Amino acid sequence: MSTSPVANDTPPAASSLSIDEALIDVLRHRVGKDERAAKPLDWYTAVVLSLRDRIIDKWMVSTRRTYDAGGKRVYYLSLEFLIGRLLRDALSNLDLTGEMEAALRAHGFELSALEDLEPDAALGNGGLGRLAACFMESLASLDIPAYGYGIRYVNGMFRQRIDDGWQVELPETWLAHGNPWEFPRWESAYRIGFGGEVVETRGGVAWHPAEHVLATAIDTPVVGWRGKRVNTLRLWTASSLDPLRLDAFNAGDHFGALADQVRADSLVRVLYPADSNPAGQELRLRQEYFFSSASIQDIVRRHVQYEGDVRTLPDKAAIQLNDTHPAVAVAELMRLLIDNHGLDFDEALDVTRRTIGYTNHTLLPEALESWPLPQFERLLPRHMQIIYGINSRVLREAGRKGCDDAAIAAISLIDEGGERRVRMANLAFTGAHSVNGVAALHTELMKSTVFSELHQLYPGRINNKTNGVTPRRWLQQCNPALTRVIRDAIGPGFLDDAARLSELAAHAGDAALGERIAEVKRANKLALAAHLREVVGVRLDPDALFDVQIKRIHEYKRQLLNLIETVALYDQIRSHPEKDWVPRVKILAGKAASSYHNAKLIIKLANDIARRINSDPSVSGLLKVVFVPNYNVSLAERIIPAADLSEQISTAGMEASGTGNMKFALNGALTIGTLDGANIEIKDRVGDDNIVIFGLTAEQVAATRADHYNPRAVIEGSPELHQAVNAIASGVFSPDDPGRYGELMAGLYEHDWFMVAADFDAYAAAQRGVESRWVDRAGWRASTIRNIAHVGWFSSDRTIAEYAKDIWGVS
């Protein structure tokens, strides 16, 4: 199986041909097929390559404009870029969809069928990676010169298969047929060192790594709206400097001769390798340094080549760290400035801080990465010296400003409690001029919790930039029928400025418009039902309420709360058949981290509950449960336009922002959620009557935890909750293994850290309220319109414009 990049032999003047002429030319001369013999995959490749030729011309123009203007570039470092499929996105942004459809129909092919042949790029997992993809598209759409930097993962995180209800992890094979979108840049290659020692030299010190790998750039063009600009997503692939030790091979050590290449290859194989063992932890650190070092070397090389003086880097480059994964870039930039370009330590620190910004995405301690100090120092000895140097300056400053010992311990880049560890979030914070949260609540919690002491030391550094999503992919492309209805109602202005969706609010009471939007929703539900019948074999009623929770499986996201309430609802429907129950379809999807036992158990529970409920004739037509395997961007593009109810039910204070909440609302789903993350700002914009809020606030969660919370008393005091928990714990849904969920349910009785029991009654009541709203069809449709109208503010164009003005200093 080849995973090497596709060759890039673009014929001259191809962009001047008509779409049909270009297709045939590419099919014959680059795919090597006669159009009468070509198979669908050949036609798909021809479509991409012919479109790519047009993109190349715009890409080159964009690059020349940037150099001619001599302006500032944005460099966005992210371990994930969940870009999904690119064909539909590029065609739409270049306004070539209609022409391509017509050209393909003339040859007996449908564009939509060929689009489905494109694999999702396995370059991310969840919201972090999808946000990075939205940001890259908005940067190009706003005509801001930018590079995205990440890793070209060969096998992604994993492809999820469900076997007997259990998650099974298999390697992604998205590169099995190559990737026609990418361009290898063999000249952009950098040595990445690990280990070794730091030795004194005449002018200072020099790091002599014990091991090197070669990072080589692979570029993918990112097309902005209306083709205004094409930016670059630069991903790194790894190789050994000596891929085959021929002496060892000829001596008979055929496997050992390839060891260096295998070690290098492991850096770009898997996103988030399991870190439940020391080898996995070390691989993660190696990955993070590998891509950070290659990216920083590339940025500095480009600046010096065109500007000369490395001291002017902050005037020409804005480096944004997407969460803590690339935090080591702070130390790497310092290393290059000091060791390679002769700056003294304090000047290098000043240049670094004025260049780098840091986005924090989580308040969870386990996600604020830290590394065992001996491991970090063994792999990156020079960087450890630099981190100690930064730390000494920061702690002296804290002492001068009157910080006490406890505050200094919290500020330190080294955690001295127990096993000494390097705190990467503190490194990112102290090495950046800007530290931003991604929703208003999250930003305030950053100031009062995880970064409280650092905020007091640097009070102006933390700022808020509420996340957004690109309306091109998440409305225009995934829901073209709804886009047409909106255009008919308010004109095309919202296509260029999502904020103009607000004009739709004046039509919320328009019964005819509500009916048209409802027809679109039902058609989307029919399409999703047909797809899910093919995938999971379950028949779904498109007139039922589609209740959707699709996101990474994690206890704080509380899929468990959803499932326990589903069991309670199941029991209520069976106990009270005389009531007029609203037919409901529960749709869940998401991946659990390979080493996250409870998350994988929740997936199994979802499938066990689905098997029991879906086979029970007493609730037939009233309740169905579906867990959809292998959640990715393309699946989200099918599910979100079909959703009626969006589940955003995380424990308050634990979700940084969320972006799924924005996508669902943009497509006309009502939100049921807690006052967490961006839910609060969505509520403020759509209005209290057009969202369903329940549960404890972040302040109440903290107070409950501090006040000797007794979840056992709560469970036993709630008849519905008690019965549902006991049914799960006693094996009603797992007759093959009655004790399967005993420990999971015991966790609710004993500590319930994520407040599932505390919020259950409020959640169940909110769900009954949803049913009352659903019966009022006119009211539901009006709320749908108001949601669509008022979430245009959550466009990633708005977010990026704020970053550009407030953090990056670019226009």
Side-chain angles (χ1 to χ4, degrees):
M1 180 181 73
S2 172
T3 59
S4 60
V6 175
N8 302 309
D9 49 338
T10 306
S15 299
S16 65
L17 302 174
S18 72
I19 288 286
D20 186 65
E21 289 170 334
L23 275 174
I24 299 306
D25 183 72
V26 168
L27 195 61
R28 291 177 179 175
H29 299 119
R30 295 162 72 188
V31 181
K33 289 288 185 74
D34 181 279
E35 57 267 31
R36 289 170 293 183
K39 298 293 188 282
L41 185 61
D42 300 319
W43 280 97
Y44 159 73
T45 304
V47 168
V48 172
L49 293 179
S50 61
L51 178 63
R52 197 183 72 166
D53 291 342
R54 284 167 164 73
I55 293 170
I56 290 169
D57 293 336
K58 292 180 177 293
W59 201 5
M60 291 181 175
V61 169
S62 298
T63 302
R64 287 171 186 156
R65 276 201 294 125
T66 301
Y67 282 117
D68 290 345
K72 198 172 190 178
R73 272 195 181 95
V74 172
Y75 297 105
Y76 197 79
L77 274 62
S78 179
L79 200 60
E80 298 184 43
F81 285 95
L82 198 58
I83 56 177
R85 295 167 172 168
L86 297 181
L87 176 55
R88 183 167 61 181
D89 190 57
L91 282 169
S92 175
N93 279 0
L94 292 173
D95 196 23
L96 291 173
T97 303
E99 290 182 56
M100 188 64 78
E101 285 176 335
L104 287 169
R105 283 197 186 112
H107 298 283
F109 287 92
E110 289 295 324
L111 175 60
S112 59
L114 297 185
E115 287 173 344
D116 285 341
L117 295 178
E118 181 176 8
D120 272 51
L123 299 172
N125 173 38
L128 183 81
R130 187 52 237 172
L131 181 78
C134 285
F135 278 9
M136 287 300 298
E137 197 265 3
S138 282
L139 281 160
S141 295
L142 294 181
D143 201 18
I144 297 173
Y147 272 73
Y149 282 107
I151 293 177
R152 180 183 180 266
Y153 300 102
V154 175
N155 299 120
M157 191 166 98
F158 58 81
R159 175 168 55 88
Q160 182 192 59
R161 192 176 71 200
I162 302 298
D163 286 356
D164 190 31
W166 292 102
Q167 171 178 287
V168 176
E169 298 105 31
L170 303 169
E172 290 273 14
T173 55
W174 72 290
L175 291 170
H177 300 290
N179 178 7
W181 291 107
E182 63 186 15
F183 294 78
R185 305 299 193 195
W186 308 118
E187 73 282 4
S188 296
Y190 303 93
R191 289 191 176 203
I192 313 298
F194 296 99
E197 61 180 346
V198 180
V199 299
E200 188 175 7
T201 63
R202 186 175 302 171
V205 297
W207 177 29
H208 296 312
E211 172 191 347
H212 282 101
V213 297
L214 192 68
T216 303
I218 308 291
D219 287 354
T220 299
V222 179
V223 183
W225 176 236
R226 301 198 188 280
K228 183 180 293 185
R229 171 175 287 277
V230 179
N231 279 329
T232 301
L233 176 60
R234 174 159 286 186
L235 305 175
W236 300 104
T237 189
S239 59
S240 170
L241 300 183
D242 187 8
L244 175 66
R245 289 174 46 224
L246 195 59
D247 55 344
F249 191 88
N250 287 333
D253 187 7
H254 303 142
F255 295 106
L258 294 166
D260 290 347
Q261 180 57 38
V262 171
R263 187 177 296 109
D265 192 48
S266 68
L267 292 170
V268 297
R269 276 282 161 188
V270 175
L271 167 67
Y272 301 137
D275 59 355
S276 54
N277 56 74
Q281 293 168 15
E282 179 171 318
L283 179 56
R284 283 204 184 191
L285 177 55
R286 282 175 174 264
Q287 283 183 320
E288 292 177 9
Y289 177 66
F290 165 78
F291 104 88
S292 297
S293 175
S295 305
I296 296 298
Q297 289 188 63
D298 195 47
I299 293 165
V300 172
R301 185 272 309 162
R302 184 178 299 108
H303 179 79
V304 172
Q305 179 178 340
Y306 290 98
E307 303 297 334
D309 186 359
V310 76
R311 292 170 176 82
T312 64
L313 183 65
D315 302 325
K316 299 295 182 180
I319 299 173
Q320 192 69 30
L321 309 180
N322 192 28
D323 217 1
T324 55
H325 307 119
V328 72
V330 171
E332 176 67 359
L333 180 54
M334 291 280 292
R335 181 185 72 84
L336 294 179
L337 295 175
I338 297 167
D339 295 355
N340 292 14
H341 295 278
L343 275 64
D344 66 37
F345 196 100
D346 290 324
E347 186 178 18
L349 183 55
D350 175 65
V351 169
T352 296
R353 282 176 169 165
R354 289 190 292 121
T355 304
I356 288 179
Y358 162 50
T359 301
N360 173 271
H361 283 279
T362 183
L363 303 173
L364 297 177
E366 65 268 25
L368 294 172
E369 289 186 314
S370 65
W371 300 106
L373 193 148
Q375 179 188 61
F376 192 99
E377 189 163 27
R378 174 173 55 81
L379 283 177
L380 302 171
R382 178 63 177 133
H383 300 77
M384 193 69 250
Q385 291 180 344
I386 290 168
I387 289 170
Y388 273 124
I390 296 172
N391 200 40
S392 67
R393 286 159 173 79
V394 169
L395 295 187
R396 284 199 298 269
E397 184 177 0
R400 288 194 301 270
K401 292 183 177 180
C403 293
D404 61 22
D405 289 347
I408 287 175
I411 288 166
S412 177
L413 277 59
I414 310 299
D415 183 354
E416 301 286 357
E419 179 191 34
R420 301 177 74 208
R421 301 181 72 89
V422 182
R423 293 168 165 159
M424 303 308 288
N426 289 26
L427 173 62
F429 193 113
T430 57
H433 69 276
S434 166
V435 178
N436 72 279
V438 290
L441 173 64
H442 169 237
T443 300
E444 291 308 307
L445 290 173
M446 284 169 59
K447 295 176 182 178
S448 61
T449 58
V450 292
F451 294 130
S452 172
E453 293 81 5
L454 280 164
H455 172 57
Q456 292 173 38
L457 182 61
Y458 303 112
R461 196 163 294 188
I462 295 179
N463 61 93
N464 181 58
K465 297 290 173 281
T466 297
N467 282 343
V469 302
T470 169
R472 269 77 60 181
R473 183 179 289 264
W474 295 111
L475 177 60
Q476 297 173 36
Q477 294 162 30
C478 75
N479 207 340
L482 178 59
T483 303
R484 287 191 292 271
V485 171
I486 296 171
R487 185 171 185 164
D488 290 345
I490 62 172
F494 73 97
L495 299 175
D496 296 292
D497 180 5
R500 293 188 62 181
L501 282 168
S502 61
E503 297 168 19
L504 199 63
H507 303 272
D510 185 335
L513 177 61
E515 181 67 29
R516 288 191 66 194
I517 290 176
E519 288 171 358
V520 169
K521 179 69 72 174
R522 191 175 191 279
N524 291 336
K525 292 166 75 173
L526 276 167
L528 177 62
H531 178 72
L532 295 184
R533 186 179 179 192
E534 184 179 325
V535 171
V536 295
V538 177
R539 288 177 177 268
L540 303 179
D541 175 9
D543 294 315
L545 188 155
F546 278 23
D547 177 350
V548 180
Q549 187 177 21
I550 49 173
K551 53 184 73 232
R552 180 167 55 94
I553 309 297
H554 197 291
E555 287 169 283
Y556 88 84
K557 294 179 182 288
R558 298 204 296 190
Q559 286 91 353
L560 187 57
L561 174 61
N562 188 352
L563 292 171
I564 293 174
E565 198 279 330
T566 301
V567 170
L569 176 60
Y570 172 55
D571 184 64
Q572 289 292 309
I573 294 173
R574 290 188 301 167
S575 300
H576 298 283
E578 75 283 0
K579 292 187 177 182
D580 291 327
W581 295 100
V582 169
R584 187 185 293 249
V585 175
K586 289 272 192 177
I587 299 173
L588 298 99
K591 296 179 180 179
S594 302
S595 55
Y596 192 169
H597 171 75
N598 276 6
K600 296 171 85 167
L601 197 59
I602 288 168
I603 291 176
K604 174 60 173 169
L605 176 60
N607 284 284
D608 279 348
I609 290 171
R611 185 178 62 245
R612 176 67 178 264
I613 290 176
N614 296 348
S615 63
D616 188 339
S618 69
V619 297
S620 178
L622 294 177
L623 185 61
K624 287 286 177 72
V625 180
V626 180
F627 186 91
V628 191
N630 203 39
Y631 179 56
N632 58 18
V633 175
S634 295
L635 186 57
E637 290 170 342
R638 291 180 184 270
I639 294 175
I640 288 171
D644 296 306
L645 187 66
S646 162
E647 298 265 358
Q648 309 297 330
I649 60 175
S650 53
T651 311
M654 301 194 76
E655 182 72 83
S657 168
T659 52
N661 44 12
M662 304 167 190
K663 296 165 192 168
F664 280 106
L666 186 60
N667 283 272
L670 269 62
T671 300
I672 182 170
T674 52
L675 288 172
D676 196 25
N679 290 354
I680 298 170
E681 289 155 275
I682 291 175
K683 168 183 170 292
D684 291 343
R685 293 188 177 272
V686 305
D688 293 357
D689 293 338
N690 302 298
I691 191 170
V692 181
I693 296 295
F694 73 92
L696 302 176
T697 64
E699 294 79 6
Q700 290 168 337
V701 167
T704 301
R705 286 173 176 161
D707 192 28
H708 307 292
Y709 171 49
N710 182 1
R712 181 175 297 275
V714 173
I715 294 170
E716 292 175 352
S718 170
E720 286 187 32
L721 174 59
H722 189 237
Q723 187 159 330
V725 169
N726 280 352
I728 295 169
S730 64
V732 168
F733 297 92
S734 54
D736 58 319
D737 182 7
R740 179 180 296 145
Y741 303 113
E743 188 176 335
L744 187 65
M745 294 299 101
L748 297 183
Y749 277 100
E750 292 165 7
H751 52 79
D752 188 28
W753 180 255
F754 300 101
M755 300 287 143
V756 171
D759 274 348
F760 176 85
D761 283 347
Y763 177 57
Q767 288 285 21
R768 304 296 78 77
V770 166
E771 291 161 1
S772 298
R773 287 174 180 244
W774 178 258
V775 173
D776 175 11
R777 302 308 298 148
W780 187 278
R781 290 171 183 175
S783 287
T784 288
I785 293 171
R786 292 189 182 101
N787 268 268
I788 298 168
H790 292 304
V791 295
W793 185 83
F794 295 96
S795 164
S796 50
D797 293 353
R798 185 267 314 157
T799 311
I800 286 297
E802 291 179 2
Y803 274 90
K805 176 177 177 288
D806 300 337
I807 299 176
W808 301 330
V810 299
S811 58

